[in-house]
Amino acid sequence: MNVLDKIVAEKRKEVAAQKALFSIDQLTKMPDFDRSGISTAQRLKSSVLPGIISEFKRQSPSKGVINDRVDVMKVAKGYCEAGASAISILTDEPFFGGTIEDLQRARPHVTCPILRKDFIIDEYQIYKTKAIGADLMLLIAAILTKEEIAHFTKVAHDLGLEVLLEIHNEEEFRQGYIPEVDILGVNNRDLKRFKTTIQNSIDLSEILPKEQLKISESGISTTKDMAELIAVGYKGFLIGEQFMKHDDPAAELKKFMTEELV
């Protein structure tokens, strides 16, 4: 089994356990379930600065522990104040060291939209995403069928959530893309081998729909990287490790956003 297969197998067990403890009906009664969402898509489209979705991520299967010393509430608030278009919070615990509680703790302290970054494989997780206060959810084409992507997108939209569909290669785009998604993300990290290069986004830009709002994810470490990606049609960037490897991730984001695009 590759890393992605292991994550999905563990996720199926996790979701089954959550369903047994807390029903969808109970989720719909949680305080944040009825809150109005904040549109990440609109913020990216209207941003005059490079649109950055800054990520809170303690660890990853490829890098191990990145930063387990900082507080999610402080980092999320700092990201938002520094000008992030949105904040991404990992909620997978076994592989990324994140929790549902991380997102719930951050929510009351930020006015930015929040992306729940997790491995969605079941409709139940969409209701959970809404209930914990997220505005945007991730769907990974590599682990879903096109029918699942279409169904999950409709459920999300019905609940007032936006959808970020993530692809890694042309095959995933051909087999999983639907125009109904709000944002299309190209992940520059191969989730099976964990090799990263922004050339992946550049190459795929030639076949992606021009009218689709697109972001590039992973491996973006300089404003030169962003300039190259903007030139081929990307409107936003999901960046995590570049900021999280420092003691003050929000300060690094602020510094990054003031650097001139070259």
Side-chain angles (χ1 to χ4, degrees):
M1 295 176 74
N2 59 48
V3 173
L4 190 55
D5 290 336
K6 291 177 181 177
I7 291 173
V8 172
E10 186 66 29
K11 192 61 57 177
R12 294 194 189 284
K13 296 177 187 175
E14 177 187 306
V15 173
Q18 289 178 355
K19 282 180 169 181
L21 290 173
F22 218 74
S23 70
I24 285 180
D25 185 58
Q26 288 174 295
L27 291 176
T28 64
K29 292 179 172 60
M30 289 177 64
D32 277 323
F33 195 85
D34 292 325
R35 67 175 283 275
S36 296
I38 310 166
S39 174
T40 304
Q42 288 304 317
R43 287 173 67 103
L44 290 174
K45 289 175 183 176
S46 62
S47 177
V48 294
L49 296 171
I52 295 178
I53 301 175
S54 48
E55 189 160 83
F56 182 87
K57 177 168 65 174
R58 292 188 180 89
Q59 66 187 52
S60 75
S62 61
K63 299 289 185 178
V65 175
I66 299 167
N67 188 342
D68 59 0
R69 306 176 304 280
V70 290
D71 179 72
V72 65
M73 186 173 64
K74 181 179 177 181
V75 173
K77 189 171 184 290
Y79 276 159
C80 196
E81 291 173 349
S85 293
I87 300 163
S88 170
I89 298 180
L90 270 293
T91 58
D92 174 81
E93 187 164 10
F95 296 89
F96 291 87
T99 66
I100 293 291
E101 290 72 29
D102 285 335
L103 199 153
Q104 290 175 304
R105 286 189 64 221
R107 176 74 277 168
H109 302 279
V110 300
T111 55
C112 295
I114 297 179
L115 163 65
R116 181 191 179 189
K117 190 87 173 287
D118 212 316
F119 298 79
I120 304 293
I121 54 168
D122 191 289
E123 185 176 312
Y124 177 88
Q125 293 167 284
I126 306 174
Y127 282 84
K128 185 94 170 189
T129 300
K130 179 65 175 175
I132 62 176
D135 305 282
L136 174 69
M137 74 175 195
L138 177 70
L139 293 181
I140 301 174
I143 62 175
L144 300 168
T145 66
K146 194 167 191 173
E147 291 72 26
E148 287 174 322
I149 291 167
H151 176 62
F152 290 169
T153 297
K154 183 180 185 308
V155 173
H157 286 168
D158 287 346
L159 295 179
L161 291 166
E162 290 187 326
V163 174
L164 165 61
L165 175 65
E166 179 179 281
I167 63 167
H168 300 82
N169 52 49
E170 181 175 355
E171 180 183 7
E172 290 176 13
F173 169 69
R174 301 292 185 197
Q175 294 182 359
Y177 173 72
I178 60 170
E180 290 80 9
V181 297
D182 302 280
I183 306 169
L184 179 63
V186 176
N187 195 325
N188 300 312
R189 178 176 292 118
D190 184 326
L191 283 183
K192 295 181 179 178
R193 293 173 294 173
F194 281 86
K195 180 181 178 181
T196 307
T197 171
I198 67 162
Q199 189 61 41
N200 190 49
S201 284
I202 295 170
D203 292 343
L204 283 175
S205 68
E206 298 178 6
I207 66 166
L208 303 181
K210 301 300 181 187
E211 67 279 5
Q212 175 67 61
L213 179 62
K214 297 178 286 290
I215 68 169
S216 181
E217 309 170 22
S218 304
I220 301 152
S221 58
T222 66
T223 53
K224 181 176 181 293
D225 291 338
M226 289 199 298
E228 290 181 23
L229 293 162
I230 288 170
V232 294
Y234 290 90
K235 188 63 177 171
F237 311 93
L238 193 151
I239 305 175
E241 184 184 338
Q242 178 68 17
F243 306 138
M244 285 297 297
K245 66 185 180 182
H246 296 278
D247 289 334
D248 189 343
E252 290 302 313
L253 167 63
K254 188 173 183 179
K255 178 182 174 183
F256 194 76
M257 291 190 71
T258 58
E259 292 178 8
E260 186 177 352
L261 290 174
V262 293

PDB file of all heavy atoms in Angstrom, residues 16-42:
ATOM      1  N   ALA A  16     -16.369   5.540  10.236  1.00  0.00           N
ATOM      2  CA  ALA A  16     -17.309   4.558  10.791  1.00  0.00           C
ATOM      3  C   ALA A  16     -17.474   4.757  12.297  1.00  0.00           C
ATOM      4  O   ALA A  16     -18.588   4.695  12.830  1.00  0.00           O
ATOM      5  CB  ALA A  16     -16.818   3.141  10.478  1.00  0.00           C
ATOM      6  N   ALA A  17     -16.365   5.020  12.965  1.00  0.00           N
ATOM      7  CA  ALA A  17     -16.420   5.242  14.416  1.00  0.00           C
ATOM      8  C   ALA A  17     -17.168   6.530  14.746  1.00  0.00           C
ATOM      9  O   ALA A  17     -17.956   6.593  15.702  1.00  0.00           O
ATOM     10  CB  ALA A  17     -15.001   5.291  14.979  1.00  0.00           C
ATOM     11  N   GLN A  18     -16.948   7.588  13.957  1.00  0.00           N
ATOM     12  CA  GLN A  18     -17.634   8.857  14.198  1.00  0.00           C
ATOM     13  C   GLN A  18     -19.136   8.732  13.988  1.00  0.00           C
ATOM     14  O   GLN A  18     -19.934   9.287  14.746  1.00  0.00           O
ATOM     15  CB  GLN A  18     -17.066   9.936  13.265  1.00  0.00           C
ATOM     16  CG  GLN A  18     -15.661  10.373  13.631  1.00  0.00           C
ATOM     17  CD  GLN A  18     -15.109  11.403  12.651  1.00  0.00           C
ATOM     18  OE1 GLN A  18     -15.725  11.733  11.643  1.00  0.00           O
ATOM     19  NE2 GLN A  18     -13.930  11.907  12.952  1.00  0.00           N
ATOM     20  N   LYS A  19     -19.529   7.998  12.955  1.00  0.00           N
ATOM     21  CA  LYS A  19     -20.951   7.798  12.664  1.00  0.00           C
ATOM     22  C   LYS A  19     -21.662   7.103  13.820  1.00  0.00           C
ATOM     23  O   LYS A  19     -22.821   7.392  14.123  1.00  0.00           O
ATOM     24  CB  LYS A  19     -21.121   6.956  11.398  1.00  0.00           C
ATOM     25  CG  LYS A  19     -20.918   7.695  10.102  1.00  0.00           C
ATOM     26  CD  LYS A  19     -21.127   6.701   8.952  1.00  0.00           C
ATOM     27  CE  LYS A  19     -21.199   7.367   7.621  1.00  0.00           C
ATOM     28  NZ  LYS A  19     -21.420   6.393   6.526  1.00  0.00           N
ATOM     29  N   ALA A  20     -20.946   6.164  14.439  1.00  0.00           N
ATOM     30  CA  ALA A  20     -21.538   5.410  15.539  1.00  0.00           C
ATOM     31  C   ALA A  20     -21.749   6.281  16.778  1.00  0.00           C
ATOM     32  O   ALA A  20     -22.626   6.002  17.609  1.00  0.00           O
ATOM     33  CB  ALA A  20     -20.643   4.219  15.888  1.00  0.00           C
ATOM     34  N   LEU A  21     -20.962   7.333  16.904  1.00  0.00           N
ATOM     35  CA  LEU A  21     -21.032   8.186  18.091  1.00  0.00           C
ATOM     36  C   LEU A  21     -21.921   9.416  17.918  1.00  0.00           C
ATOM     37  O   LEU A  21     -22.510   9.907  18.878  1.00  0.00           O
ATOM     38  CB  LEU A  21     -19.618   8.652  18.467  1.00  0.00           C
ATOM     39  CG  LEU A  21     -18.656   7.595  19.017  1.00  0.00           C
ATOM     40  CD1 LEU A  21     -17.266   8.190  19.164  1.00  0.00           C
ATOM     41  CD2 LEU A  21     -19.155   7.069  20.364  1.00  0.00           C
ATOM     42  N   PHE A  22     -22.004   9.924  16.670  1.00  0.00           N
ATOM     43  CA  PHE A  22     -22.653  11.214  16.443  1.00  0.00           C
ATOM     44  C   PHE A  22     -23.368  11.185  15.097  1.00  0.00           C
ATOM     45  O   PHE A  22     -22.742  11.072  14.044  1.00  0.00           O
ATOM     46  CB  PHE A  22     -21.577  12.313  16.448  1.00  0.00           C
ATOM     47  CG  PHE A  22     -22.014  13.593  17.101  1.00  0.00           C
ATOM     48  CD1 PHE A  22     -22.133  13.687  18.468  1.00  0.00           C
ATOM     49  CD2 PHE A  22     -22.313  14.710  16.328  1.00  0.00           C
ATOM     50  CE1 PHE A  22     -22.524  14.885  19.078  1.00  0.00           C
ATOM     51  CE2 PHE A  22     -22.699  15.904  16.918  1.00  0.00           C
ATOM     52  CZ  PHE A  22     -22.807  15.985  18.303  1.00  0.00           C
ATOM     53  N   SER A  23     -24.677  11.286  15.100  1.00  0.00           N
ATOM     54  CA  SER A  23     -25.461  11.173  13.869  1.00  0.00           C
ATOM     55  C   SER A  23     -25.448  12.467  13.060  1.00  0.00           C
ATOM     56  O   SER A  23     -25.127  13.541  13.581  1.00  0.00           O
ATOM     57  CB  SER A  23     -26.904  10.815  14.201  1.00  0.00           C
ATOM     58  OG  SER A  23     -27.544  11.917  14.819  1.00  0.00           O
ATOM     59  N   ILE A  24     -25.850  12.382  11.794  1.00  0.00           N
ATOM     60  CA  ILE A  24     -25.984  13.569  10.957  1.00  0.00           C
ATOM     61  C   ILE A  24     -27.012  14.524  11.566  1.00  0.00           C
ATOM     62  O   ILE A  24     -26.828  15.744  11.558  1.00  0.00           O
ATOM     63  CB  ILE A  24     -26.362  13.183   9.509  1.00  0.00           C
ATOM     64  CG1 ILE A  24     -25.138  12.614   8.784  1.00  0.00           C
ATOM     65  CG2 ILE A  24     -26.917  14.388   8.747  1.00  0.00           C
ATOM     66  CD1 ILE A  24     -25.383  12.192   7.352  1.00  0.00           C
ATOM     67  N   ASP A  25     -28.081  13.958  12.106  1.00  0.00           N
ATOM     68  CA  ASP A  25     -29.099  14.800  12.739  1.00  0.00           C
ATOM     69  C   ASP A  25     -28.505  15.615  13.880  1.00  0.00           C
ATOM     70  O   ASP A  25     -28.828  16.798  14.056  1.00  0.00           O
ATOM     71  CB  ASP A  25     -30.245  13.925  13.250  1.00  0.00           C
ATOM     72  CG  ASP A  25     -31.396  14.764  13.802  1.00  0.00           C
ATOM     73  OD1 ASP A  25     -31.936  15.593  13.039  1.00  0.00           O
ATOM     74  OD2 ASP A  25     -31.735  14.608  14.988  1.00  0.00           O
ATOM     75  N   GLN A  26     -27.633  15.001  14.640  1.00  0.00           N
ATOM     76  CA  GLN A  26     -26.975  15.722  15.729  1.00  0.00           C
ATOM     77  C   GLN A  26     -26.039  16.800  15.182  1.00  0.00           C
ATOM     78  O   GLN A  26     -25.923  17.887  15.758  1.00  0.00           O
ATOM     79  CB  GLN A  26     -26.195  14.739  16.616  1.00  0.00           C
ATOM     80  CG  GLN A  26     -27.082  13.853  17.484  1.00  0.00           C
ATOM     81  CD  GLN A  26     -26.278  12.801  18.218  1.00  0.00           C
ATOM     82  OE1 GLN A  26     -25.690  11.906  17.606  1.00  0.00           O
ATOM     83  NE2 GLN A  26     -26.235  12.924  19.545  1.00  0.00           N
ATOM     84  N   LEU A  27     -25.353  16.499  14.076  1.00  0.00           N
ATOM     85  CA  LEU A  27     -24.461  17.477  13.455  1.00  0.00           C
ATOM     86  C   LEU A  27     -25.221  18.732  13.038  1.00  0.00           C
ATOM     87  O   LEU A  27     -24.734  19.855  13.183  1.00  0.00           O
ATOM     88  CB  LEU A  27     -23.756  16.871  12.233  1.00  0.00           C
ATOM     89  CG  LEU A  27     -22.721  15.777  12.489  1.00  0.00           C
ATOM     90  CD1 LEU A  27     -22.193  15.224  11.165  1.00  0.00           C
ATOM     91  CD2 LEU A  27     -21.560  16.301  13.332  1.00  0.00           C
ATOM     92  N   THR A  28     -26.424  18.539  12.497  1.00  0.00           N
ATOM     93  CA  THR A  28     -27.208  19.687  12.017  1.00  0.00           C
ATOM     94  C   THR A  28     -27.690  20.588  13.151  1.00  0.00           C
ATOM     95  O   THR A  28     -28.136  21.707  12.901  1.00  0.00           O
ATOM     96  CB  THR A  28     -28.432  19.222  11.209  1.00  0.00           C
ATOM     97  OG1 THR A  28     -29.320  18.492  12.056  1.00  0.00           O
ATOM     98  CG2 THR A  28     -28.026  18.343  10.029  1.00  0.00           C
ATOM     99  N   LYS A  29     -27.571  20.115  14.363  1.00  0.00           N
ATOM    100  CA  LYS A  29     -27.992  20.911  15.513  1.00  0.00           C
ATOM    101  C   LYS A  29     -26.832  21.649  16.184  1.00  0.00           C
ATOM    102  O   LYS A  29     -27.027  22.373  17.159  1.00  0.00           O
ATOM    103  CB  LYS A  29     -28.704  20.016  16.529  1.00  0.00           C
ATOM    104  CG  LYS A  29     -30.051  19.487  16.029  1.00  0.00           C
ATOM    105  CD  LYS A  29     -30.690  18.585  17.070  1.00  0.00           C
ATOM    106  CE  LYS A  29     -32.117  18.200  16.671  1.00  0.00           C
ATOM    107  NZ  LYS A  29     -32.203  17.472  15.389  1.00  0.00           N
ATOM    108  N   MET A  30     -25.621  21.460  15.656  1.00  0.00           N
ATOM    109  CA  MET A  30     -24.460  22.155  16.228  1.00  0.00           C
ATOM    110  C   MET A  30     -24.517  23.647  15.882  1.00  0.00           C
ATOM    111  O   MET A  30     -25.030  24.035  14.820  1.00  0.00           O
ATOM    112  CB  MET A  30     -23.168  21.518  15.714  1.00  0.00           C
ATOM    113  CG  MET A  30     -22.923  20.137  16.308  1.00  0.00           C
ATOM    114  SD  MET A  30     -21.445  19.302  15.661  1.00  0.00           S
ATOM    115  CE  MET A  30     -20.139  20.399  16.247  1.00  0.00           C
ATOM    116  N   PRO A  31     -24.018  24.520  16.750  1.00  0.00           N
ATOM    117  CA  PRO A  31     -24.160  25.970  16.595  1.00  0.00           C
ATOM    118  C   PRO A  31     -23.679  26.528  15.254  1.00  0.00           C
ATOM    119  O   PRO A  31     -24.302  27.436  14.698  1.00  0.00           O
ATOM    120  CB  PRO A  31     -23.327  26.542  17.752  1.00  0.00           C
ATOM    121  CG  PRO A  31     -23.330  25.457  18.779  1.00  0.00           C
ATOM    122  CD  PRO A  31     -23.334  24.172  18.013  1.00  0.00           C
ATOM    123  N   ASP A  32     -22.574  26.004  14.737  1.00  0.00           N
ATOM    124  CA  ASP A  32     -22.014  26.562  13.503  1.00  0.00           C
ATOM    125  C   ASP A  32     -22.672  26.032  12.237  1.00  0.00           C
ATOM    126  O   ASP A  32     -22.358  26.502  11.139  1.00  0.00           O
ATOM    127  CB  ASP A  32     -20.506  26.287  13.427  1.00  0.00           C
ATOM    128  CG  ASP A  32     -19.698  27.308  14.214  1.00  0.00           C
ATOM    129  OD1 ASP A  32     -20.102  28.493  14.209  1.00  0.00           O
ATOM    130  OD2 ASP A  32     -18.687  26.936  14.825  1.00  0.00           O
ATOM    131  N   PHE A  33     -23.572  25.088  12.372  1.00  0.00           N
ATOM    132  CA  PHE A  33     -24.162  24.487  11.175  1.00  0.00           C
ATOM    133  C   PHE A  33     -24.970  25.504  10.369  1.00  0.00           C
ATOM    134  O   PHE A  33     -25.029  25.437   9.143  1.00  0.00           O
ATOM    135  CB  PHE A  33     -25.053  23.287  11.541  1.00  0.00           C
ATOM    136  CG  PHE A  33     -25.385  22.419  10.364  1.00  0.00           C
ATOM    137  CD1 PHE A  33     -24.515  21.420   9.959  1.00  0.00           C
ATOM    138  CD2 PHE A  33     -26.552  22.612   9.637  1.00  0.00           C
ATOM    139  CE1 PHE A  33     -24.802  20.622   8.856  1.00  0.00           C
ATOM    140  CE2 PHE A  33     -26.847  21.823   8.534  1.00  0.00           C
ATOM    141  CZ  PHE A  33     -25.968  20.820   8.143  1.00  0.00           C
ATOM    142  N   ASP A  34     -25.567  26.460  11.032  1.00  0.00           N
ATOM    143  CA  ASP A  34     -26.415  27.439  10.350  1.00  0.00           C
ATOM    144  C   ASP A  34     -25.710  28.753  10.016  1.00  0.00           C
ATOM    145  O   ASP A  34     -26.346  29.670   9.498  1.00  0.00           O
ATOM    146  CB  ASP A  34     -27.664  27.735  11.195  1.00  0.00           C
ATOM    147  CG  ASP A  34     -28.607  26.546  11.289  1.00  0.00           C
ATOM    148  OD1 ASP A  34     -28.703  25.809  10.291  1.00  0.00           O
ATOM    149  OD2 ASP A  34     -29.209  26.353  12.348  1.00  0.00           O
ATOM    150  N   ARG A  35     -24.427  28.845  10.311  1.00  0.00           N
ATOM    151  CA  ARG A  35     -23.724  30.102   9.991  1.00  0.00           C
ATOM    152  C   ARG A  35     -23.566  30.247   8.476  1.00  0.00           C
ATOM    153  O   ARG A  35     -23.425  29.276   7.751  1.00  0.00           O
ATOM    154  CB  ARG A  35     -22.352  30.169  10.685  1.00  0.00           C
ATOM    155  CG  ARG A  35     -21.345  29.174  10.206  1.00  0.00           C
ATOM    156  CD  ARG A  35     -19.978  29.389  10.863  1.00  0.00           C
ATOM    157  NE  ARG A  35     -19.293  30.526  10.260  1.00  0.00           N
ATOM    158  CZ  ARG A  35     -18.559  30.424   9.154  1.00  0.00           C
ATOM    159  NH1 ARG A  35     -18.452  29.260   8.515  1.00  0.00           N
ATOM    160  NH2 ARG A  35     -17.964  31.488   8.663  1.00  0.00           N
ATOM    161  N   SER A  36     -23.577  31.479   8.016  1.00  0.00           N
ATOM    162  CA  SER A  36     -23.383  31.756   6.588  1.00  0.00           C
ATOM    163  C   SER A  36     -21.901  31.629   6.249  1.00  0.00           C
ATOM    164  O   SER A  36     -21.047  32.179   6.955  1.00  0.00           O
ATOM    165  CB  SER A  36     -23.869  33.167   6.249  1.00  0.00           C
ATOM    166  OG  SER A  36     -25.261  33.283   6.468  1.00  0.00           O
ATOM    167  N   GLY A  37     -21.628  30.930   5.180  1.00  0.00           N
ATOM    168  CA  GLY A  37     -20.242  30.725   4.783  1.00  0.00           C
ATOM    169  C   GLY A  37     -19.629  31.966   4.148  1.00  0.00           C
ATOM    170  O   GLY A  37     -20.324  32.852   3.670  1.00  0.00           O
ATOM    171  N   ILE A  38     -18.295  32.016   4.155  1.00  0.00           N
ATOM    172  CA  ILE A  38     -17.536  33.086   3.518  1.00  0.00           C
ATOM    173  C   ILE A  38     -16.911  32.499   2.256  1.00  0.00           C
ATOM    174  O   ILE A  38     -16.284  31.440   2.313  1.00  0.00           O
ATOM    175  CB  ILE A  38     -16.445  33.636   4.448  1.00  0.00           C
ATOM    176  CG1 ILE A  38     -17.035  33.972   5.826  1.00  0.00           C
ATOM    177  CG2 ILE A  38     -15.770  34.854   3.844  1.00  0.00           C
ATOM    178  CD1 ILE A  38     -15.976  34.199   6.894  1.00  0.00           C
ATOM    179  N   SER A  39     -17.066  33.169   1.133  1.00  0.00           N
ATOM    180  CA  SER A  39     -16.608  32.618  -0.138  1.00  0.00           C
ATOM    181  C   SER A  39     -15.113  32.814  -0.368  1.00  0.00           C
ATOM    182  O   SER A  39     -14.631  33.938  -0.504  1.00  0.00           O
ATOM    183  CB  SER A  39     -17.381  33.257  -1.297  1.00  0.00           C
ATOM    184  OG  SER A  39     -16.851  32.832  -2.536  1.00  0.00           O
ATOM    185  N   THR A  40     -14.395  31.705  -0.424  1.00  0.00           N
ATOM    186  CA  THR A  40     -12.975  31.759  -0.795  1.00  0.00           C
ATOM    187  C   THR A  40     -12.832  32.119  -2.264  1.00  0.00           C
ATOM    188  O   THR A  40     -11.943  32.887  -2.649  1.00  0.00           O
ATOM    189  CB  THR A  40     -12.304  30.403  -0.526  1.00  0.00           C
ATOM    190  OG1 THR A  40     -12.486  30.039   0.834  1.00  0.00           O
ATOM    191  CG2 THR A  40     -10.806  30.463  -0.836  1.00  0.00           C
ATOM    192  N   ALA A  41     -13.701  31.574  -3.100  1.00  0.00           N
ATOM    193  CA  ALA A  41     -13.639  31.830  -4.548  1.00  0.00           C
ATOM    194  C   ALA A  41     -13.747  33.326  -4.838  1.00  0.00           C
ATOM    195  O   ALA A  41     -12.967  33.876  -5.639  1.00  0.00           O
ATOM    196  CB  ALA A  41     -14.747  31.061  -5.264  1.00  0.00           C
ATOM    197  N   GLN A  42     -14.683  33.987  -4.201  1.00  0.00           N
ATOM    198  CA  GLN A  42     -14.858  35.415  -4.443  1.00  0.00           C
ATOM    199  C   GLN A  42     -13.665  36.222  -3.934  1.00  0.00           C
ATOM    200  O   GLN A  42     -13.245  37.201  -4.568  1.00  0.00           O
ATOM    201  CB  GLN A  42     -16.153  35.908  -3.787  1.00  0.00           C
ATOM    202  CG  GLN A  42     -17.416  35.447  -4.477  1.00  0.00           C
ATOM    203  CD  GLN A  42     -17.448  35.849  -5.951  1.00  0.00           C
ATOM    204  OE1 GLN A  42     -17.087  36.966  -6.312  1.00  0.00           O
ATOM    205  NE2 GLN A  42     -17.865  34.924  -6.807  1.00  0.00           N
TER     206      GLN A  42
END
